Amino acid sequence: MSLLFAQLLTGLADAATLFLVASGLSLIFGVTRIVNFSHGSFYMLGAFIGYSLMQVLPGMFGFWASVLLAGVAVGLIGVIVEICVLRPIYRAPELFQLVATFGVILIIQDVALFTWGADDLLGPRAPGLTGIVRIMGEPVPKYDLALIAITPLVLFSLWYMITKTRVGILVRAATQDREMVGALGVNQAWLFTGVFFLGAMLAGLGGAIQLPKGGADLLMDFNILAAIFVVVVIGGMGSLPGAYAAAVLISVLNVYGVTYIPQSTLVLMFVVMAVVLMIKPFGLFGREEVAGEHGQVGEPERPIKPAGPRGRLMVAGLIFLLALIPLSGSNFAQILTTDIITFALFAASLHFILGLGGLVSFGHAAYFGGGAYVAALLVTHLGANMEIAFVLAPFGAALGAVMIGWLCMRRTGVYFAMLTLAFAQLIWSLVYQWDEFTGGDDGLVDIWPAAWLNGTSVYYYFTMLFGIGGILALRHVAHSPFGYALRASRDSTRQAEATGIHTKRVQWAAFSFAGAMAGLAGALFVFSKGSVFPTELEIAKSFDGLIVVFLGGVKTLSGGVVGAASLELVKDVLTRFEYWRLSLGVLIIVVVILAPNGIVGTLHKLGERLGMTGKTEDR
Amino acid sequence: MIEVDGINSYYGKAHILNDLSFSIGAGEVVSMLGRNGAGKTTTLKSIMQLIRPQSGTVSFQGREITRLAPHQVAKLGLGYVPEERRIFTDLTLMENLEVGRQPFREGAPEWTVDILFDIFPNLKERRHNRGKALSGGEQQMLTIARTLMGNPICLLLDEPSEGIAPVIVEQMVDTILNIKKQGVTVLLSEQNLHFARLVADRAIIIESGEKRFEGSFAELESQPEVMEAYLSV
């Protein structure tokens, strides 16, 4: 009994960090409608800056001053991000802003690497709170008690600010209708900046305050991201008490989990999330998000058209050129092109659900990596032939997509996005933690193609056949009646339903089909590399896909493919530099700001302006 | 008070306002009339800078406001009451009023919550209700009260009589006359000629984004061909 209580206290203390960071994310989303992916990076910066300050400022006063200053510093960094990166693109399609915040993640990663080095830093202990207290005979760190006391205070202050002050009223009003708030004489630009400051500061505080319990390292940003998404989804987007309750729930269960089922640690929170969503689809304290209620409906979609004769000729020409590459004899060119085609198929499958289905999946890597792992596991454990493993991989990925899709389809918009991310993390943690079956961090190796395919050029043609075949299949489906139904469901759910389309089922099928195609890409990938590691399932991989789709152009069919080719080529060049993430991050942000229609969309518009191509629509 | 000089406004590629010019004097109540889609709402939004005119200028009290942001225009003393009400449904009635609050402004009447509750007695009873719990008429009253909390010198009212019960329409007439009596200049858009005649001193008729008539209601009624051509009478 006393042990259970002590564990409860530990859980409550752990909830402090989670709550601080998640409430900031929730706050920023509430007002700006931006899912700030760089929130994990703000948290990481809070830890690093707090660490440095604690080296300089002595004693108990110095410790708490460092925590506060780290929060303020990160808040100011948030302001810089808001003004320089987000302000120019508030009018761009909503999801484009996600890509920009992803650019911010990359930049902050390299800045942190440059400033604090690659080594993990062990957090200093809090002066005056270093010992333990015995509660019912169990040792409880004093610092935990401090955290348990501080969190409700923060919750109360935030709640008071939001519900009782003029600023809070304005913030809530802006959450609903920004334009109207502006028309009533409120400078909403500064309101946004203010909210960004507060949200980033909370993340920074969270990073600094956890130092005595943990430390600072370069993986913190992605590590906390899934957890705070889970907290926000469980608690209900925009609800502060919800974020607190969810943070406590997750943290306490996690402590018990570590004690009684140690293998479950990474998986547990996703299970909790799934259960909560089954019972309360909008989270503990959340309410339904209605699309468009904030006057945020974007431009009408341009209808896509099958490629004309000229387009077909160009594609045929491109395929012909690709087929010539092995004749050059360059291994490098073949391997690079294999990678590009594989990645292009992955991106095209994501584009299929995102662009045509309007379903923003943050966890598409689950099906790419999933396909790769299905093939690798079949080969490793069952000694399956390469051919069988290759054929079964897309089905395995599709099966995963069917199950995860069924759960995620219960929600829409940003909740759907976060759910897909959370389930992708669930798959990742399963693979990462289940050493004896999946090889864990060491991955699975020796997964080579069958003898008749063993050879760079042969496998290159094999990739061309299935990779380009897959992309063409996706295009074909896009122009089929099913594709129409899918686009109708995206553009107007109600009207689609009224014409007899079961929108959820159509979207679910599309999600599963996209999963299968991503799995096919994964299978091509694993046999070309001969190995697979958990990195193929990571958030970063999903984000790569998202970036590619957005950079290529969401609203154009070829967007995913063009984006994939561009990113792979750019990465190939940039990764030769030490701080390539920084360059890539800056590049992404510049492209997002300068070419908000993506590469293909921008070329289209340029073409229209120069009179080279016909108008793609009649207005 | 307001000078609109040759403005051209677009929605995307659609040309809505075509070289529109007119002016409103201090203390006047002027009604813009015209059919659905004639450009009335776009005119009000273009004055408020919620839509940026691509050419032409809008001046308020002799100062050009065409390049300002909407909140700057509001701070100069232009109050905007949108057509679709757009109250903050998750906020209470009192909070809605708080969003509109601006400091007292020289040359404009000062409105307080108490004064507004005298004008809109129904709102007082419901002051702790959330916006979404209010009836259509109450929401319409609240949007006007909310904008008056900004102590405007001039009020832009978009279709105040639309979508509310006939009883409330009468109340609305009284309200606008009351606002006028306090010395606030009012430019409103209307489709209902009878309503416009009850509250306004002057009429401007707009069709296809162009001004087709400007003058008193007596002049308008002496030209039945104008009324027939541009109004749904």
Side-chain angles (χ1 to χ4, degrees):
Chain A
M1 188 57 216
S2 58
L3 179 65
L4 281 179
F5 185 69
Q7 285 171 331
L8 177 72
L9 292 180
T10 311
L12 281 171
D14 290 347
T17 302
L18 212 47
F19 166 69
L20 283 171
V21 187
S23 60
L25 179 79
S26 190
L27 207 59
I28 289 177
F29 173 80
V31 176
T32 63
R33 294 282 129 185
I34 290 177
V35 180
N36 176 29
F37 274 138
S38 51
H39 212 65
S41 307
F42 291 159
Y43 162 72
M44 179 174 79
L45 279 178
F48 275 119
I49 294 173
Y51 178 88
S52 293
L53 287 170
M54 285 168 199
Q55 307 302 310
V56 188
L57 303 173
M60 190 156 86
F61 175 76
F63 175 84
W64 291 107
S66 303
V67 171
L68 282 179
L69 284 174
V72 171
V74 174
L76 292 175
I77 293 168
V79 168
I80 295 172
V81 168
E82 198 271 340
I83 291 178
C84 299
V85 178
L86 295 172
R87 247 190 220 186
I89 54 169
Y90 275 130
R91 295 205 172 269
E94 202 168 323
L95 291 162
F96 227 76
Q97 294 141 5
L98 295 179
V99 181
T101 60
F102 190 75
V104 174
I105 295 182
L106 293 174
I107 294 173
I108 291 180
Q109 271 177 350
D110 263 1
V111 168
L113 174 67
F114 178 78
T115 315
W116 288 281
D119 294 331
D120 293 1
L121 303 175
L122 187 66
R125 309 180 71 186
L129 295 167
T130 48
I132 54 149
V133 182
R134 292 218 169 254
I135 295 178
M136 300 198 298
E138 294 293 332
V140 177
K142 281 183 191 166
Y143 191 68
D144 277 10
L145 293 178
L147 288 181
I148 293 170
I150 289 169
T151 321
L153 281 179
V154 175
L155 172 64
F156 178 77
S157 326
L158 281 176
W159 173 85
Y160 187 85
M161 198 203 85
I162 295 291
T163 53
K164 300 293 173 196
T165 66
R166 174 170 168 84
V167 172
I169 291 172
L170 294 181
V171 164
R172 278 184 291 139
T175 304
Q176 250 193 303
D177 189 340
R178 302 172 197 174
E179 193 186 59
M180 196 59 228
V181 172
L184 288 168
V186 179
N187 186 349
Q188 31 144 355
W190 286 107
L191 207 56
F192 277 33
T193 310
V195 165
F196 230 86
F197 173 80
L198 187 62
M201 187 181 84
L202 286 168
L205 284 177
I209 214 167
Q210 61 81 45
L211 278 169
K213 289 169 72 84
D217 62 72
L218 289 169
L219 297 176
M220 289 171 78
D221 50 354
F222 278 139
N223 282 347
I224 199 162
L225 208 51
I228 56 177
F229 278 13
V230 167
V231 164
V232 165
V233 169
I234 291 183
M237 202 87 206
S239 163
L240 289 170
Y244 182 65
V248 169
L249 182 68
I250 293 287
S251 306
V252 170
L253 281 174
N254 196 37
V255 174
Y256 291 135
V258 170
T259 320
Y260 302 107
I261 4 172
Q263 308 86 344
S264 73
T265 47
L266 289 175
V267 181
L268 195 66
M269 67 178 174
F270 302 109
V271 176
V272 175
M273 182 179 74
V275 171
V276 168
L277 289 182
M278 296 285 188
I279 303 164
K280 296 210 66 157
F282 297 102
L284 296 174
F285 294 79
R287 51 183 198 88
E288 188 168 2
E289 290 286 334
V290 184
E293 82 174 313
H294 308 277
Q296 297 280 310
V297 188
E299 274 183 55
E301 298 280 342
R302 292 173 164 223
I304 48 167
K305 288 193 298 194
R310 206 197 291 175
R312 280 163 201 261
L313 205 66
M314 273 171 65
V315 171
L318 184 68
I319 293 177
F320 181 70
L321 285 178
L322 285 176
L324 291 180
I325 286 182
L327 303 181
S328 73
S330 156
N331 256 353
F332 170 75
Q334 291 181 51
I335 291 170
L336 182 64
T337 315
T338 305
D339 288 353
I340 290 177
I341 294 174
T342 312
F343 193 45
L345 175 58
F346 170 56
S349 70
L350 177 61
H351 178 272
F352 181 78
I353 44 167
L354 201 156
L356 304 179
L359 300 167
V360 184
S361 166
F362 288 172
H364 207 53
Y367 316 106
F368 177 80
Y373 263 98
V374 167
L377 288 169
L378 285 170
V379 171
T380 309
H381 290 289
L382 299 176
N385 285 334
M386 178 259 177
E387 292 87 346
I388 291 175
F390 183 82
V391 169
L392 287 180
F395 286 101
L399 190 66
V402 166
M403 293 192 296
I404 293 174
W406 183 76
L407 284 163
C408 297
M409 281 305 155
R410 304 165 69 88
R411 303 287 291 269
T412 53
V414 63
Y415 284 98
F416 174 85
M418 292 193 172
L419 278 179
T420 52
L421 180 134
F423 282 110
Q425 274 306 91
L426 168 67
I427 308 268
W428 174 82
S429 15
L430 269 177
V431 168
Y432 192 81
Q433 283 198 324
W434 201 355
D435 276 338
E436 55 270 38
F437 187 60
T438 60
D441 203 15
D442 300 329
L444 295 167
V445 292
D446 267 341
I447 319 291
W448 295 108
W452 61 277
L453 278 171
N454 219 341
T456 311
S457 298
V458 184
Y459 198 78
Y460 176 83
Y461 285 118
F462 183 73
T463 307
M464 264 191 75
L465 179 68
F466 281 95
I468 296 175
I471 292 169
L472 292 179
L474 283 163
R475 280 192 78 110
H476 183 75
V477 173
H479 292 301
S480 72
F482 178 78
Y484 294 146
L486 182 61
R487 279 183 272 150
S489 310
R490 169 196 68 191
D491 290 341
S492 175
T493 311
R494 275 195 203 156
Q495 288 194 18
E497 295 265 345
T499 50
I501 298 169
H502 193 319
T503 54
K504 287 279 171 205
R505 198 176 290 164
V506 167
Q507 290 174 334
W508 187 24
F511 190 78
S512 311
F513 179 57
M517 285 298 144
L520 178 64
L524 285 170
F525 170 86
V526 68
F527 289 109
S528 77
K529 298 289 172 212
S531 58
V532 60
F533 302 97
T535 47
E536 298 311 321
L537 292 160
E538 270 179 357
I539 300 180
K541 183 82 189 174
S542 297
F543 284 7
D544 271 358
L546 280 173
I547 290 174
V548 152
V549 170
F550 279 102
L551 291 193
V554 182
K555 301 192 172 181
T556 52
L557 258 189
S558 47
V561 179
V562 173
S566 318
L567 185 71
E568 281 288 301
L569 289 173
V570 167
K571 266 194 170 173
D572 184 64
V573 176
L574 284 182
T575 41
R576 294 169 198 183
F577 303 106
E578 194 181 353
Y579 292 103
W580 65 273
R581 286 190 198 86
L582 183 74
S583 338
L584 185 62
V586 172
L587 186 75
I588 287 170
I589 290 170
V590 168
V591 171
V592 164
I593 292 174
L594 295 184
N597 295 301
I599 299 170
V600 180
T602 305
L603 288 178
H604 261 290
K605 287 223 160 142
L606 265 180
E608 270 176 32
R609 199 171 298 167
L610 300 173
M612 281 164 63
T613 52
K615 294 206 171 181
T616 35
E617 65 172 341
D618 305 306
R619 264 207 132 124
Chain B
M1 178 70 59
I2 297 179
E3 300 279 342
V4 174
D5 189 11
I7 54 170
N8 285 281
S9 292
Y10 295 76
Y11 260 121
K13 285 171 192 160
H15 195 163
I16 308 289
L17 297 186
N18 203 348
D19 278 332
L20 184 67
S21 303
F22 60 83
S23 63
I24 311 288
E28 267 194 303
V29 175
V30 177
S31 176
M32 261 192 297
L33 290 154
R35 292 202 188 92
N36 250 342
K40 302 187 297 292
T41 297
T42 310
T43 307
L44 295 181
K45 285 190 170 174
S46 298
I47 295 173
M48 205 61 207
Q49 300 306 312
L50 291 166
I51 293 173
R52 292 264 153 107
Q54 296 220 336
S55 62
T57 58
V58 180
S59 305
F60 177 62
Q61 295 191 305
R63 179 177 168 181
E64 195 188 324
I65 56 171
T66 330
R67 300 279 165 269
L68 299 182
H71 74 268
Q72 293 169 314
V73 176
K75 285 240 167 80
L76 290 176
L78 260 172
Y80 171 68
V81 180
E83 181 183 10
E84 329 86 77
R85 301 187 188 125
R86 289 171 75 170
I87 59 159
F88 305 108
T89 49
D90 286 343
L91 273 56
T92 65
L93 192 151
M94 287 298 279
E95 288 173 339
N96 268 280
L97 293 178
E98 174 63 29
V99 176
R101 187 169 64 81
Q102 285 183 54
F104 170 68
R105 190 174 278 113
E106 207 61 51
E110 186 175 12
W111 304 87
T112 61
V113 173
D114 289 335
I115 296 173
L116 289 168
F117 281 165
D118 280 344
I119 305 176
F120 306 109
N122 315 14
L123 295 187
K124 188 174 186 179
E125 296 159 27
R126 314 217 54 182
R127 61 185 179 279
H128 296 303
N129 285 94
R130 284 188 191 272
K132 60 183 151 206
L134 303 178
S135 73
E138 286 166 341
Q139 293 193 351
Q140 187 70 286
M141 296 300 170
L142 176 57
T143 34
I144 295 177
R146 183 179 64 181
T147 303
L148 288 176
M149 283 294 286
N151 303 314
I153 299 166
C154 175
L155 200 59
L156 306 175
L157 264 176
D158 202 354
E159 306 242 358
S161 76
E162 198 201 310
I164 50 175
V167 193
I168 317 270
V169 173
E170 276 173 36
Q171 210 180 325
M172 187 66 75
V173 172
D174 293 343
T175 305
I176 295 173
L177 291 175
N178 193 343
I179 293 169
K180 183 194 174 182
K181 207 168 70 190
Q182 304 293 323
V184 179
T185 309
V186 180
L187 171 61
L188 61 122
S189 81
E190 255 313 317
Q191 291 196 48
N192 183 336
L193 178 62
H194 306 290
F195 182 89
R197 194 182 358 214
L198 286 175
V199 297
D201 309 319
R202 224 154 43 87
I204 295 172
I205 293 185
I206 290 181
E207 172 70 28
S208 308
E210 290 173 23
K211 186 172 73 184
R212 297 293 163 87
F213 172 88
E214 184 168 8
S216 69
F217 284 93
E219 282 173 81
L220 178 60
E221 271 147 37
S222 68
Q223 299 176 34
E225 73 283 358
V226 173
M227 297 217 293
E228 209 155 298
Y230 305 122
L231 301 177
S232 333
V233 281

